[in-house]
Amino acid sequence: MQKTTETDNTKKFSKLFSELDHCTDVKQKQIIEEMNGIIDEMDKEEFTSAFTKGFFHETDKMIKDKQLSLENVILMLKHMGYCKEMKKIWNNDFQRCSLSKRIEKMIVDENKKKKGKNEKLLADLCESYLFLNSRFSKELLAIIVRCLLKATLKKEENEETQKEVEIALLALSNIGVFNTVQKEQYLNEIREIIKNHQKYLNLTQLAYQSAWEFFIDRFFKDRNLEDVIENELHFVREVTGRLEELVVCIDWKREKDERGKKDKEVQILTRWLDTIDYFLLSCKLWNEEYIKLVSCLVKTYLSANDKFMEISEKCIFPLRNAAKNRTVKTDDLLKGGSIGLFLEELMQSTMNYGMTNQSLTFCLSISERLKEKTDDEMEEAKRKELKRKVLEMMEEEGYEDVIISFHKIFDFLHRNFWIDISLNISDYFVHL
């Protein structure tokens, strides 16, 4: 049945695309809106099958031959890009095609205009380009970021404006961590966008998440941003609150076949977890709100477990990074429930290799922390007490026996997963 659905979606889309030739502009728009509805239903395999280099080349040819209006192409590309971003689909065919070059030139040309510049067209072109590319020149990125940040600072609070702002911020969030944006090009604007929402709640959930994702991706390469992120904009507190809201909103008890395509809340939650992951990989400033964040990640994991495995697995990564980074204290991890969670996970006979690897990495980090002595008598006393509590939990869960049982696959995990784990079994054990 699934195979038939995939074939039907792709065939319907291709058939409608072939009908765009020699249509009136109004009819084209109707067909594209129908095509956009099919894009909503596509899974990753269908999406990749439909949007090939050949498809983009044909679209470009139709623009060149004046068979397809630019306005209608943008209507299709923006919706395609929105779905690609929300479904986290990797497709790099666009950035290597003639249509990408055409839009890139149009952005540069429109931006150069001193008089008669069409700000709406420029924003549409920038969004289409950002959604469908992953690598950008610094010069083009400077134009795009300036244009879209300007678009997000609109003060109107009607639904149409909110949607425009959401799309602009979602597109900006696609500028990944390996693309460099100069601080002066975005810092004041993104700070204002986030502060305004914290004060007036003027953004949609997705727009607010996208603003933070764009900002945290910049933080990945510029650690000097942490003071603004933590002490001024209070990222940890904010993201904990958003997770708590989403965990309550999602109906975790529904069966998979009742859910159909992902709810928007599930997609937004997944995006927040990715953003938290990048943050905990890079952060250096500690604050007491980490306990609540850890607790919230554990709660999300337990809520999603079994039926939403993708979310459960995404909760594991930031918790593992928190243990490796050490900005989050061992006591925070214990009180937040993550140590207990990982110990329980190691007991599961149904664990997959990926989850096993993450759990072992977490436990190895905790073991290393608890072995580190300090010359400060009070801190050393705290460390010993903490170690006692953790060891009691480990003994209760039969931790050492489980680690011994996993030892035979250490080398396999070490060779097949990106994160290194120690092959020395004694590194995982802690004794008083």
Side-chain angles (χ1 to χ4, degrees):
M1 181 64 70
Q2 181 66 24
K3 187 66 176 176
T4 303
T5 302
E6 291 174 1
T7 304
D8 284 349
N9 280 336
T10 307
K11 283 186 174 181
K12 285 178 186 177
F13 186 86
S14 297
K15 182 176 183 298
L16 286 170
F17 183 68
S18 68
E19 294 173 4
L20 289 171
D21 196 7
H22 304 303
C23 283
T24 65
D25 191 61
V26 173
K27 181 62 176 176
Q28 280 186 353
K29 186 174 182 180
Q30 291 174 350
I31 293 174
I32 286 174
E33 286 175 346
E34 191 174 346
M35 291 168 66
N36 286 347
I38 296 173
I39 295 173
D40 288 334
E41 301 298 328
M42 286 181 175
D43 60 20
K44 292 184 179 182
E45 185 177 341
E46 291 172 324
F47 191 99
T48 303
S49 175
F51 300 116
T52 61
K53 197 183 299 183
F55 169 83
F56 293 123
H57 175 74
E58 184 62 27
T59 302
D60 184 56
K61 185 175 182 297
M62 291 174 75
I63 296 173
K64 182 180 179 181
D65 296 341
K66 301 187 185 308
Q67 296 172 334
L68 189 56
S69 72
L70 179 62
E71 181 183 355
N72 284 333
V73 170
I74 287 173
L75 179 66
M76 178 174 60
L77 292 181
K78 281 179 64 172
H79 191 79
M80 183 195 311
Y82 177 91
C83 291
K84 171 182 171 288
E85 182 64 17
M86 292 302 291
K87 296 176 183 180
K88 294 295 183 184
I89 298 172
W90 175 257
N91 184 327
N92 62 355
D93 282 346
F94 179 80
Q95 63 190 35
R96 296 180 297 188
C97 73
S98 57
L99 181 57
S100 177
K101 298 298 181 185
R102 177 183 294 275
I103 293 178
E104 182 175 328
K105 184 177 185 305
M106 292 178 71
I107 290 171
V108 173
D109 290 346
E110 192 66 33
N111 182 68
K112 283 181 179 177
K113 291 180 180 178
K114 301 298 182 182
K115 292 183 179 180
K117 183 185 295 186
N118 188 332
E119 297 286 358
K120 176 67 169 63
L121 173 62
L122 182 58
D124 284 340
L125 290 169
C126 289
E127 287 162 359
S128 301
Y129 190 82
L130 271 191
F131 274 138
L132 297 171
N133 279 285
S134 58
R135 294 281 182 173
F136 317 92
S137 71
K138 291 182 180 179
E139 296 76 17
L140 188 63
L141 210 50
I143 296 171
I144 291 173
V145 170
R146 182 170 59 251
C147 169
L148 294 188
L149 283 176
K150 182 179 179 181
T152 64
L153 292 170
K154 295 178 180 179
K155 302 300 181 184
E156 299 90 344
E157 294 186 6
N158 58 66
E159 187 174 340
E160 182 180 352
T161 301
Q162 274 202 327
K163 188 65 179 178
E164 289 176 4
V165 171
E166 179 182 275
I167 293 294
L169 286 169
L170 183 64
L172 284 168
S173 74
N174 197 44
I175 303 173
V177 296
F178 298 110
N179 291 292
T180 300
V181 185
Q182 299 302 319
K183 195 181 301 185
E184 61 271 13
Q185 294 171 358
Y186 69 86
L187 183 55
N188 290 336
E189 291 84 353
I190 203 70
R191 180 196 275 133
E192 182 180 348
I193 289 165
I194 291 172
K195 278 187 172 181
N196 281 344
H197 178 74
Q198 291 174 350
K199 187 174 182 179
Y200 302 112
L201 301 178
N202 60 326
L203 299 176
T204 65
Q205 289 189 76
L206 177 58
Y208 189 52
Q209 185 281 325
S210 297
W212 270 116
E213 182 171 340
F214 169 79
F215 200 11
I216 297 300
D217 281 352
R218 311 287 70 77
F219 171 53
F220 188 78
K221 294 183 79 171
D222 184 356
R223 306 302 164 82
N224 293 323
L225 294 170
E226 187 163 15
D227 185 57
V228 175
I229 288 171
E230 273 294 84
N231 296 332
E232 184 179 344
L233 300 177
H234 308 286
F235 173 73
V236 175
R237 183 180 68 198
E238 286 292 306
V239 75
T240 301
R242 301 297 77 75
L243 282 190
E244 288 173 344
E245 290 175 3
L246 287 165
V247 169
V248 171
C249 288
I250 296 170
D251 183 359
W252 299 104
K253 295 182 180 179
R254 282 178 294 171
E255 296 298 327
K256 287 182 180 179
D257 57 357
E258 292 176 338
R259 290 202 309 274
K261 60 185 180 182
K262 286 183 181 178
D263 294 334
K264 192 169 185 179
E265 288 81 6
V266 173
Q267 292 175 318
I268 295 171
L269 175 60
T270 302
R271 291 171 61 84
W272 272 123
L273 292 171
D274 286 335
T275 304
I276 295 167
D277 189 29
Y278 275 126
F279 174 76
L280 290 177
L281 193 63
S282 309
C283 63
K284 296 299 177 187
L285 294 176
W286 178 86
N287 71 65
E288 60 187 11
E289 293 167 344
Y290 280 122
I291 296 176
K292 290 183 179 179
L293 177 56
V294 170
S295 178
C296 193
L297 287 168
V298 170
K299 182 179 179 181
T300 304
Y301 175 92
L302 295 173
S303 298
N305 206 10
D306 296 332
K307 292 182 181 176
F308 289 77
M309 282 302 297
E310 179 186 359
I311 291 180
S312 291
E313 291 178 2
K314 281 188 176 292
C315 291
I316 290 293
F317 288 107
L319 290 171
R320 178 211 65 197
N321 281 340
K324 288 177 68 67
N325 185 322
R326 301 190 178 211
T327 298
V328 183
K329 296 179 179 179
T330 309
D331 198 36
D332 298 336
L333 295 168
L334 179 62
K335 290 178 179 176
S338 64
I339 294 179
L341 173 67
F342 278 94
L343 290 176
E344 289 177 15
E345 273 303 315
L346 283 171
M347 306 302 121
Q348 301 297 320
S349 59
T350 56
M351 283 186 79
N352 59 47
Y353 286 130
M355 294 287 275
T356 302
N357 186 60
Q358 304 307 326
S359 297
L360 289 172
T361 303
F362 178 91
C363 290
L364 181 63
S365 297
I366 296 301
S367 173
E368 290 172 349
R369 288 183 179 208
L370 294 175
K371 289 176 180 177
E372 293 172 350
K373 296 182 179 181
T374 176
D375 293 332
D376 186 293
E377 290 186 9
M378 291 185 64
E379 290 300 317
E380 181 64 13
K382 289 179 183 178
R383 183 188 70 86
K384 288 182 178 179
E385 176 59 20
L386 188 59
K387 184 161 69 168
R388 184 188 62 78
K389 290 178 182 178
V390 174
L391 284 173
E392 286 179 357
M393 293 178 66
M394 289 178 166
E395 289 175 359
E396 188 176 332
E397 295 289 349
Y399 170 76
E400 291 198 7
D401 290 340
V402 173
I403 293 297
I404 291 170
S405 72
F406 278 131
H407 188 236
K408 59 188 176 185
I409 64 169
F410 277 9
D411 185 59
F412 168 82
L413 295 174
H414 180 76
R415 285 184 285 106
N416 287 275
F417 291 89
W418 290 351
I419 296 177
D420 290 338
I421 61 171
S422 173
L423 302 182
N424 184 0
I425 194 169
S426 64
D427 289 342
Y428 296 85
F429 300 146
V430 181
H431 302 286
L432 287 174

